[in-house]
Amino acid sequence: MKDEKAEKLFRGITGVGEDLIEEAEMMQKRKKTTAWRWALVAACLSAALLGTAAAANVIAWQSRTHLINEKDELWNVVESAMADKEDGDVPAAVAVGGGYDGAYEYKTSADDLENWWNAYGDTPLEEVEGTEEDGWTKMRTFQREGTLEHRYLGETISDFNSLWDGTPIDASWLEEHYTPVPDTQTAYMKFISGQKEHFSCSGAFRGQDDAAFTVQVSQWDRPFADTTFQMTEGYDHVELYQTSDGVEVLIKIGTSNSGKSVFWASFTAGCNSFSLHGTEMELEGIRAVLDSLSLSNLLEYTAAE
C-alpha cells in the first residue's frame, strides 16, 4: 500500500521518471538509507515557496523544517497529506533530508580547484584580473550552447560582495576569527539565453583545534521547497536554531566512521539557500558563526497586508 502511495506521490511531480519512483519504493524496504539518496528525492521535490515570519511592516519568507525521528513517520505525514486531497494530487511541495550513516568526512574543495577553474576541460573565452572595486581577483568566462558562465577566484568570501543581487551576508566577524583556506574562495554565475539562472559563492575556513568548515550561499531563478522533513536518525544532535536576527537554521551534528565530529547547518528562503558544513566544532561555535553572518539578508520580504 505504501508503495502505491509513494508512486502516486512521485508521479505527481513534473519530470520525475521511473528510476526515481523505483528508488522511492526501494528506500522503504531498506533499514538504512544513506543521506545522498534522500537528497536525490529532495532535489526532485523542490518547488514553491511558503512560510512566514512576521516583522514590522513586512513578512519574511522562509522554508520550514520539521524533524522526523523514523521513516515511518515521514510516510505517515505523506499519506495524511494525500488523504486530505480528494483528487489524490500531491500536496504542497516538500523536500526530504536523510539520516546519517557515518560515511561522510569533511574536506575542502581545494583539491578540485584546478579542474573547477578550467570548467572541467573547457577553453575560456577570456580571463580578466579583478580591480579593487571588484573585490575578486580573477574571472574566467566560458560559453556553451545558450549558456554563459563566469567563474571567480578571491582571497576570502567577502571578495564576492560586488556580485550579489541584494545585500550580501556579513562575513566581517567570520574573517576576523577564522582563517580563509587558500584555493577554496570561489564564486560562480550562470546565464541562460541572457537571463541569470544561478549565482553562488563559497569559502573554507580554519579555526583552532582542527576546527574547519565551508560557507556556501546560492541564489537561483526559482524557489526552493516550502517545507522540509528532516530525518534525525544517525545524528548525535539535531536542532532548529534561531539566530540573533531571527532566521531558523537546521543544525545537524554527527560522528563519522573515523571518529571525527562533522556538522551541517542550513536553511532555504525563497530562491536563496545557505549552507555551513564542517568538522570538529562545538555547538556553541557553530551558533556563534551563524549569529555573526546577518543571515536575515537572505530572507525574501513582501509587504504585509
Side-chain angles (χ1 to χ4, degrees):
M1 191 67 177
K2 283 186 179 180
D3 287 351
E4 295 177 2
K5 289 186 178 292
E7 182 170 347
K8 183 183 289 186
L9 170 66
F10 292 114
R11 285 189 188 280
I13 304 295
T14 302
V16 175
E18 296 293 335
D19 54 342
L20 183 54
I21 294 171
E22 181 180 355
E23 181 65 31
E25 294 170 351
M26 292 176 65
M27 284 194 293
Q28 298 177 70
K29 301 174 184 177
R30 296 172 183 158
K31 291 184 178 180
K32 289 188 177 180
T33 304
T34 56
W36 71 267
R37 291 189 183 274
W38 286 94
L40 174 64
V41 179
C44 291
L45 293 180
S46 294
L49 170 70
L50 285 172
T52 60
N57 294 315
V58 298
I59 295 175
W61 298 75
Q62 179 182 353
S63 302
R64 295 304 174 198
T65 301
H66 304 275
L67 303 181
I68 302 294
N69 295 323
E70 297 179 359
K71 297 185 187 72
D72 284 345
E73 290 185 50
L74 175 61
W75 293 113
N76 289 339
V77 169
V78 171
E79 290 175 342
S80 176
M82 292 182 65
D84 292 337
K85 289 282 207 176
E86 292 182 1
D87 56 5
D89 289 339
V90 178
V94 299
V96 180
Y100 180 53
D101 61 4
Y104 169 79
E105 300 280 355
Y106 171 77
K107 65 177 183 179
T108 71
S109 60
D111 292 342
D112 191 50
L113 179 70
E114 184 176 353
N115 287 330
W116 179 86
W117 183 234
N118 291 316
Y120 301 94
D122 281 0
T123 301
L125 288 178
E126 64 173 351
E127 178 176 331
V128 299
E129 300 286 332
T131 65
E132 183 176 351
E133 182 178 356
D134 291 326
W136 44 267
T137 56
K138 292 182 180 180
M139 178 191 72
R140 279 185 174 179
T141 300
F142 296 85
Q143 188 168 20
R144 301 181 179 89
E145 295 181 5
T147 300
L148 192 70
E149 296 180 357
H150 299 305
R151 295 172 185 252
Y152 301 85
L153 299 179
E155 296 180 353
T156 189
I157 196 167
S158 63
D159 288 351
F160 310 117
N161 283 356
S162 64
L163 303 176
W164 282 70
D165 286 336
T167 306
I169 60 173
D170 182 359
S172 55
W173 183 92
L174 171 68
E175 293 168 351
E176 289 175 5
H177 290 79
Y178 292 89
T179 303
V181 176
D183 298 332
T184 67
Q185 313 296 318
T186 62
Y188 174 80
M189 196 175 297
K190 181 178 180 180
F191 295 83
I192 297 180
S193 300
Q195 299 295 316
K196 184 188 292 186
E197 182 200 49
H198 176 55
F199 165 71
S200 64
C201 62
S202 65
F205 294 83
R206 287 193 300 259
Q208 298 179 345
D209 301 324
D210 296 324
F213 55 86
T214 296
V215 177
Q216 181 171 8
V217 182
S218 296
Q219 298 176 317
W220 292 84
D221 65 347
R222 55 193 179 277
F224 287 87
D226 60 333
T227 302
T228 297
F229 293 99
Q230 172 62 53
M231 297 292 300
T232 61
E233 180 182 19
Y235 296 102
D236 300 327
H237 178 80
V238 179
E239 71 173 28
L240 296 174
Y241 176 66
Q242 188 171 66
T243 65
S244 57
D245 58 338
V247 178
E248 183 181 87
V249 182
L250 171 66
I251 299 177
K252 302 175 293 183
I253 301 175
T255 303
S256 68
N257 292 335
S258 68
K260 289 187 176 182
S261 172
V262 292
F263 71 89
W264 301 260
S266 61
F267 74 93
T268 59
C271 297
N272 299 326
S273 70
F274 169 83
S275 172
L276 172 72
H277 62 281
T279 186
E280 299 297 290
M281 282 187 70
E282 298 293 332
L283 178 59
E284 290 306 313
I286 299 170
R287 290 172 173 172
V289 172
L290 296 173
D291 285 336
S292 74
L293 293 172
S294 298
L295 293 177
S296 59
N297 291 345
L298 299 179
L299 300 184
E300 294 195 350
Y301 296 90
T302 186
E305 296 182 359

